[in-house]
């Protein structure tokens, strides 16, 4: 099959559009939220709330201001979603259970690293403790971690912050194996229950490695728009694509996946899913509705830092654990998406008690468009974030790009 030839700009626009980050915000209904989730496949969970937790920010960038309770309804009432491991701890689709079941079944296999061997040995030494947790959940129903007594025969020993966290480590082990699931959540508080009481019955299980790779690779590729083999393997269920090269070759031969040649990147094979062809044709014909919004540090569009640098020439690293004096941009920095380009960063902090969104700094990339129109678009994105957070006031420090200052500070 002859490869489809695209420009780098079209590839960037395809990436943005495939992530539901282009065009006007939809009406934030249940159906709109499900449409986003079916396309991006997972929402990373993160406990940091300097602005808002990442699962809520990722949806906000795509839906605009919406009701967070709707997401909770889909997870903890309708059970269309559940918490499990994708590329990180995430909210995933229940209809993808067969993909995650593959990890659950293989969790104890191949743990030959020093760390993996240590964990498995510790679990084996604490079989009675593990069973006591399962028995307590079975008898009493959903439990908080604080409801369990640490009865580990061999306590978890560490020189770091995990020392003595035997209950937490055993719950994590049982969760990763798919024996328990989060049945309810309130902020960082999680109630654990037996998986069979959380998830719908008769979910598909036992898929082979080839079946899993074939399905997951296509979902990853549709979410990326256009991507290389490495980028497919790093997205969605990262590291869980056995024999991806062979599977991609089969999908190309079947016409499900299209080879793509990108001008200027001819030495790097790319792919697109056949279902993405209408979008690519529209983009090549000039159909493009840009959006300006802010992205979570863990947004699906940019979480693969190598891809982000290659497509957008945008170097991004989280500085949460960097000493304040050594930070280049800030504690929790949101990239600015402007159309198909990443044009800068915003360093915000939300004061939830006073309902003030404080903008500590705004940075423009060297190639960012200047002028009032761009500044107005960035200011609009910040105001939109403030509305979502329920902030009554936005305050700015003086560190803003001069070319955007009138729109931001005016």
């Amino acid at each position: 099959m002859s490869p489809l030839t695209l420009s780098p700009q079209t590839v960037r626009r395809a990436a943005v559009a495939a992530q539901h980050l282009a065009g006007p915000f939809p009406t934030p209904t249940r159906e709109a939220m499900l449409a986003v989730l079916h396309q991006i496949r997972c929402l990373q969970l993160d406990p940091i709330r300097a602005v808002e937790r990442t699962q809520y920010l990722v949806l906000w960038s795509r839906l605009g201001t919406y009701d967070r309770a709707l997401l909770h309804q889909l997870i903890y009432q309708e059970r269309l979603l559940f918490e499990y491991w994708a590329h990180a701890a995430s909210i995933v689709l229940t209809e993808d259970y067969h993909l995650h079941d593959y990890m659950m079944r293989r969790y104890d296999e191949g743990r030959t690293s020093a760390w993996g061997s240590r964990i498995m040995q510790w679990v084996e030494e604490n079989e009675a403790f593990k069973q006591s947790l399962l028995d307590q959940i079975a008898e009493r129903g959903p439990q908080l971690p604080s409801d369990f007594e640490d009865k580990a025969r061999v306590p978890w020993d560490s020189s770091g912050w995990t020392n003595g966290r035997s209950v937490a480590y055993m719950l994590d082990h049982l969760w990763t194996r798919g024996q328990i699931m989060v049945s309810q959540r309130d902020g960082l508080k999680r109630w654990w229950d037996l998986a069979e009481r959380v998830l719908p019955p008769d979910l598909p299980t036992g898929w082979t490695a080839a079946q899993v790779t074939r399905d997951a690779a296509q979902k990853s590729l549709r979410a990326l728009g256009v991507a290389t083999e490495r980028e497919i393997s790093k997205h969605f269920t990262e590291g869980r694509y056995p024999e991806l090269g062979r599977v991609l070759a089969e999908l190309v031969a079947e016409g499900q996946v299209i080879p793509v040649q990108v001008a200027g990147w001819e030495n790097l094979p790319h792919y697109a899913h056949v279902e993405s062809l209408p979008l690519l044709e529209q983009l090549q014909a000039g159909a493009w509705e840009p959006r300006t919004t802010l992205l979570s540090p863990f947004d699906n569009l940019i979480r693969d830092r190598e891809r982000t640098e290659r497509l957008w020439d945008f170097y991004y690293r989280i500085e949460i654990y960097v000493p304040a004096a050594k930070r280049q941009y800030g504690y929790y920095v949101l990239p600015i998406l402007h159309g198909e380009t990443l044009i800068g960063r915003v360093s915000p902090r939300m004061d939830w008690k006073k309902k003030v969104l404080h903008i500590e700094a705004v940075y423009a990339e060297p190639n960012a468009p200047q002028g009032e129109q761009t500044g107005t678009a960035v200011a609009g994105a910040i105001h939109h974030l403030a509305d979502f957070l329920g902030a009554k006031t936005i305050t700015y420090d003086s560190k803003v790009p001069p070319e955007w200052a009138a729109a931001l500070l005016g």
Side-chain angles (χ1 to χ4, degrees):
M1 179 180 295
S2 300
L4 177 67
T5 300
L6 301 175
S7 68
Q9 182 185 61
T10 299
V11 171
R12 286 189 286 269
R13 288 183 174 181
V16 171
Q19 282 291 311
H20 281 253
L21 288 166
F25 287 110
T27 302
T29 60
R30 174 183 178 277
E31 289 68 30
M33 183 177 289
L34 282 172
V36 168
L37 292 165
H38 277 103
Q39 179 66 12
I40 68 175
R41 309 310 297 189
C42 63
L43 292 172
Q44 182 170 333
L45 291 161
D46 189 77
I48 297 168
R49 204 186 186 207
V51 180
E52 179 55 289
R53 295 194 174 96
T54 195
Q55 63 266 34
Y56 303 125
L57 284 177
V58 169
L59 285 178
W60 166 78
S61 296
R62 291 155 175 79
L63 295 172
T65 298
Y66 67 95
D67 185 358
R68 296 165 182 77
L70 183 55
L71 176 62
H72 285 234
Q73 175 186 319
L74 295 176
I75 305 169
Y76 308 113
Q77 296 176 33
E78 298 186 45
R79 306 299 186 187
L80 296 178
L81 309 164
F82 68 101
E83 296 188 24
Y84 195 63
W85 194 268
H87 60 264
S90 302
I91 296 164
V92 298
L93 289 157
T94 304
E95 67 183 53
D96 282 339
Y97 181 81
H98 54 280
L99 301 178
H100 305 296
D101 168 70
Y102 179 76
M103 178 174 176
M104 296 170 190
R105 288 184 287 118
R106 293 178 54 85
Y107 177 61
D108 294 341
E109 300 177 14
R111 298 182 68 83
T112 56
S113 67
W115 177 256
S117 298
R118 180 189 173 196
I119 291 176
M120 295 313 301
Q121 180 181 348
W122 178 78
V123 170
E124 290 171 3
E125 293 170 339
N126 286 286
E127 184 64 31
F129 173 47
K130 178 178 77 172
Q131 191 59 48
S132 73
L133 299 187
L134 290 170
D135 290 344
Q136 180 172 326
I137 295 171
E139 293 169 8
R140 303 181 188 178
Q143 301 282 288
L144 290 164
S146 58
D147 293 330
F148 298 101
E149 182 181 349
D150 187 347
K151 297 180 180 179
R153 185 177 72 83
V154 180
W156 179 260
D157 181 37
S158 169
S159 60
W161 66 273
T162 61
N163 188 54
R165 291 171 52 86
S166 299
V167 169
Y169 260 66
M170 192 60 78
L171 290 173
D172 184 73
H173 170 79
L174 292 169
W175 172 63
T176 311
R177 289 195 64 188
Q179 292 179 265
I180 63 174
M181 293 289 168
V182 177
S183 66
Q184 291 294 331
R185 175 185 282 272
D186 182 7
L188 299 182
K189 292 172 66 176
R190 295 177 294 175
W191 282 263
W192 294 97
D193 201 353
L194 299 178
E196 59 263 30
R197 296 199 301 222
V198 173
L199 298 174
D202 303 322
L203 291 171
T205 61
W207 280 37
T208 66
Q211 289 174 313
V212 166
T213 300
R214 183 182 179 89
D215 188 40
Q218 292 183 79
K219 288 170 177 172
S220 176
L221 184 54
R222 285 195 293 263
L224 290 165
V226 177
T228 66
E229 179 181 335
R230 188 208 73 86
E231 290 165 352
I232 295 169
S233 73
K234 295 287 288 184
H235 200 70
F236 183 29
T237 52
E238 180 177 355
R240 287 145 58 187
Y241 296 89
E243 298 189 50
L244 176 58
R246 179 183 62 79
V247 170
L248 277 175
E250 291 177 356
L251 290 169
V252 168
E254 296 167 13
Q256 293 299 307
V257 168
I258 312 299
V260 173
Q261 182 173 290
V262 183
W265 302 338
E266 285 85 359
N267 62 338
L268 194 58
H270 287 72
Y271 302 92
H273 197 273
V274 67
E275 293 179 11
S276 300
L277 284 180
L279 169 64
L280 296 173
E281 290 169 358
Q282 291 167 15
L283 293 173
Q284 286 186 301
W288 176 242
E289 293 185 81
R291 178 187 305 173
T292 300
T293 191
L294 308 178
L295 302 177
S296 158
F298 307 102
D299 193 283
N300 302 42
L301 182 74
I302 60 168
R303 62 155 301 275
D304 182 347
R305 307 304 189 207
E306 185 176 328
R307 172 177 162 90
T308 301
E309 291 173 36
R310 187 176 71 81
L311 262 63
W312 289 281
D313 192 23
F314 188 83
Y315 181 86
Y316 183 82
R317 296 296 183 272
I318 296 170
E319 298 182 291
I320 291 170
Y321 303 110
V322 176
K326 295 184 178 181
R327 290 177 190 143
Q328 183 178 4
Y329 297 109
Y331 176 80
Y332 197 81
V333 174
L334 309 183
I336 305 168
L337 176 67
H338 183 65
E340 76 273 11
T341 58
L342 295 168
I343 64 168
R345 307 152 206 255
V346 175
S347 179
R349 175 172 48 83
M350 180 63 184
D351 187 328
W352 291 97
K353 290 184 179 180
K354 296 181 179 179
K355 296 189 180 300
V356 175
L357 178 61
H358 183 58
I359 307 299
E360 298 175 341
V362 178
Y363 303 92
E365 289 293 286
N367 60 346
Q370 301 183 13
E372 183 178 351
Q373 186 175 4
T374 304
T376 299
V378 174
I382 293 172
H383 279 274
H384 193 206
L385 176 62
D387 289 341
F388 176 60
L389 300 176
K392 295 180 179 179
T393 307
I394 303 173
T395 66
Y396 285 85
D397 284 352
S398 58
K399 196 167 187 178
V400 300
E403 60 271 22
W404 299 345
L408 292 171
L409 304 178

